[in-house]
Amino acid sequence: MFGTPQKVRRALEQVGSLVNAQLPTGGINARDSFQQMPPQDAIDLVNVVADGFGLIVRQGYQEFAIDLPGAEKVATIMSYYPPTASFSGPNGQVKINQAVGFSLSGNVYACTNLNIYDITAGGAGPWVAQPGVGVVTSDYWTWLNYQNAAGNFIVAANDEGGYVAAGSAGFSGGFSSGFRTANSGFFRVSQGAVPGTIQGIDPDLWCYVMSWKRRLWFIEKFSTRAWYLPVEQITGEAHQWDFGTHFPHGGHLVALANWTLDGGVGIDDMLVAFGSEGDVVIFKGYDPDNAAVDPSAFQLHGVWYVGPLPKGRRSTTAVGGDVYVLSMFGFTQISKLVSGSQIPLGAQKDLSYKIDPLLQKAQRFHKNKDGWFITQLPREELLIVGMPEELANAGVTHLAMQSHEPGMEVSWSRFKDVPFATYTTHDGLIFAGGQNDKSVVGNGKVYLAYSTPLDNVRLDDSVFGQPIRGLVIPAYQTLGPPGMNKQFTMIRPSFLVQQTPALTVTVLTDYVLPGFSNVPALPNQNPGIWDVGVWSNAKWGGLRYPIRRWLGVVGQGFVATAQFDFTAAADTRLMGLDWWVIPGGPL
């Protein structure tokens, strides 16, 4: 007997729909309101960067040289890399196990405890201070490699005063105690009347060094004066140039930079001087010695204003043919500052436009604290803005900008849990100075940064590494018809992994602020297990293991986003994000 129409089972109507959400590959947007933020931007990104495939967890770090004397962090790392050095560092990721497993060309020096230490060999020391440095009162230095007819040198100026050099043996400059090689120590250059000394000023007053048009230039501390040496000389008669008449906002000379208009070393290179209160003075020419006779030899190109600079002398850096400066106005490119001189600085959409409010807020309360710096890490395609350690408790350690190609829109994220106060690239590796516990004497450390799948890999393997903690909060999206109420019942993040991340998800609706999450983690599908598989023997899963699983969530509103808190290994990639949405009405 056939059933009546009333008894025939019918398929339930599908009431939900699949919605694909945009990943926040545009990076952090600290400028727009939640309502106006573009869907490709992020409310927050921690320890991840955008690349051509989605979002990728940053690389971890490991100890390289430990137990450096004193209770202070390693504030400066110097790299001496003469032309005779040949690349010997490892390629790709590195794992130190019980001892440093490779040798370096040249020399790497760590500055801490008011001394300079040769840490080229890595390990736990013991560390012996370099002779000849003399008495200094700061661990912050500027330095560069410099070559002339006499040989290859590393020259450095202490932030609180003092000029030292090391380099080729057999230098004929006539130092009173003989010029030492890089391996046998630095020599503190003094004022005098004999070759190998400085005439015209006591170099103990010099606090900054750079090179422009084949000359070494120095800054005299607590002044607006710069001093330059003869062409291709590291000692000799110094001549003064005072930038003070071009500083309408006052202050002292903080830094000098070479602005290369043509992308290389040539006649277009300009000298940029930065005043502490924000004045940017640009000179063009080729020879300041001839300025009195031929004004075109060295003349003023212009004066601009970027707002007061933070404490220290590391708020400027050269990137490609441009110069970047960090100030109370945010993050400024000199090329755009000059070309947009008639445009209010705050209206220029430069590289840091989206995160300038964050930078400005941080400087408003911490401008006069140590720790500000800008540095480029070409290998990682990153530009790092370092901040005082007091801001770590506020959720900021470093800001990281990534761009893969010229002209490509950049993306910003935050790097946390990185105990780095400075970076230097040497022999294809990134060295970072810092410390783990500032209360312990002899806890200064130098790390290999962005080199391992995990954080805090110890030299002696007492800690094999810690998973990297990350956070992703995309911009709010309508996820269906705008203005209509919806229920958000499931979410599906798609990962490519080395190791399955531990993940929690919280749905945020109707522009509420981010909070805490407590959703269960994804299932464990480890192809390799940390601290069990043998390094260089066990085979990691690489990026061959996708994870795509629906997770049940609860949320209701007109717009939504999700807060992803996770721990993972480096190179874990978030590739996509899908929602299951049940539409409702306007009420």
Side-chain angles (χ1 to χ4, degrees), residues 441-452:
V441 175
N443 200 39
K445 297 178 185 289
V446 173
Y447 303 91
L448 284 175
Y450 312 121
S451 60
T452 61

Side-chain angles (χ1 to χ4, degrees), residues 272-319:
V272 186
F274 298 91
S276 61
E277 300 309 301
D279 295 304
V280 178
V281 181
I282 301 178
F283 272 75
K284 61 182 179 180
Y286 60 92
D287 187 359
D289 281 343
N290 291 327
V293 178
D294 178 9
S296 66
F298 193 66
Q299 61 181 338
L300 181 67
H301 180 65
V303 179
W304 289 264
Y305 182 67
V306 296
L309 275 60
K311 183 180 179 181
R313 301 183 183 277
R314 298 180 175 180
S315 53
T316 68
T317 191
V319 179

Side-chain angles (χ1 to χ4, degrees), residues 180-430:
R180 297 178 173 90
T181 68
N183 288 326
S184 62
F186 284 76
F187 186 89
R188 184 149 183 161
V189 183
S190 61
Q191 184 177 18
V194 299
T197 59
I198 299 296
Q199 296 88 53
I201 183 178
D202 183 355
D204 279 352
L205 296 175
W206 285 346
C207 61
Y208 188 94
V209 60
M210 59 88 66
S211 175
W212 185 75
K213 294 292 179 71
R214 298 162 53 214
R215 298 177 186 268
L216 289 179
W217 283 70
F218 301 84
I219 292 176
E220 180 185 341
K221 66 179 182 179
F222 308 133
S223 80
T224 58
R225 293 182 292 274
W227 295 79
Y228 59 90
L229 293 177
V231 172
E232 295 185 358
Q233 298 296 314
I234 68 170
T235 59
E237 184 176 356
H239 294 268
Q240 177 195 135
W241 194 276
D242 197 336
F243 292 93
T245 56
H246 305 295
F247 287 172
H249 295 88
H252 60 274
L253 181 60
V254 171
L256 299 168
N258 182 61
W259 180 29
T260 308
L261 298 181
D262 56 6
V265 177
I267 196 66
D268 292 331
D269 292 2
M270 296 190 184
L271 182 66
V272 186
F274 298 91
S276 61
E277 300 309 301
D279 295 304
V280 178
V281 181
I282 301 178
F283 272 75
K284 61 182 179 180
Y286 60 92
D287 187 359
D289 281 343
N290 291 327
V293 178
D294 178 9
S296 66
F298 193 66
Q299 61 181 338
L300 181 67
H301 180 65
V303 179
W304 289 264
Y305 182 67
V306 296
L309 275 60
K311 183 180 179 181
R313 301 183 183 277
R314 298 180 175 180
S315 53
T316 68
T317 191
V319 179
D322 211 342
V323 176
Y324 298 168
V325 58
L326 177 66
S327 71
M328 284 294 293
F329 283 0
F331 192 70
T332 305
Q333 296 167 257
I334 296 301
S335 60
K336 289 197 173 184
L337 176 69
V338 173
S339 63
S341 57
Q342 303 304 315
I343 304 174
L345 192 59
Q348 297 184 40
K349 292 189 176 181
D350 55 16
L351 295 177
S352 65
Y353 179 78
K354 294 180 182 178
I355 54 96
D356 276 344
L358 194 158
L359 288 170
Q360 293 163 3
K361 181 180 179 180
Q363 291 184 72
R364 191 176 304 131
F365 302 105
H366 299 276
K367 170 180 175 290
N368 295 318
K369 295 178 180 177
D370 289 325
W372 294 100
F373 68 83
I374 308 175
T375 191
Q376 185 186 27
L377 303 178
R379 192 195 73 183
E380 298 296 308
E381 297 176 316
L382 291 174
L383 185 78
I384 301 290
V385 178
M387 298 186 178
E389 61 184 36
E390 289 85 355
L391 283 165
N393 294 330
V396 179
T397 303
H398 293 343
L399 287 173
M401 182 191 82
Q402 185 163 56
S403 177
H404 295 275
E405 298 177 4
M408 176 182 176
E409 184 177 355
V410 302
S411 62
W412 287 90
S413 56
R414 296 190 294 134
F415 282 4
K416 292 187 65 177
D417 307 322
V418 285
F420 308 148
T422 184
Y423 293 93
T424 292
T425 299
H426 181 94
D427 222 15
L429 300 169
I430 300 171

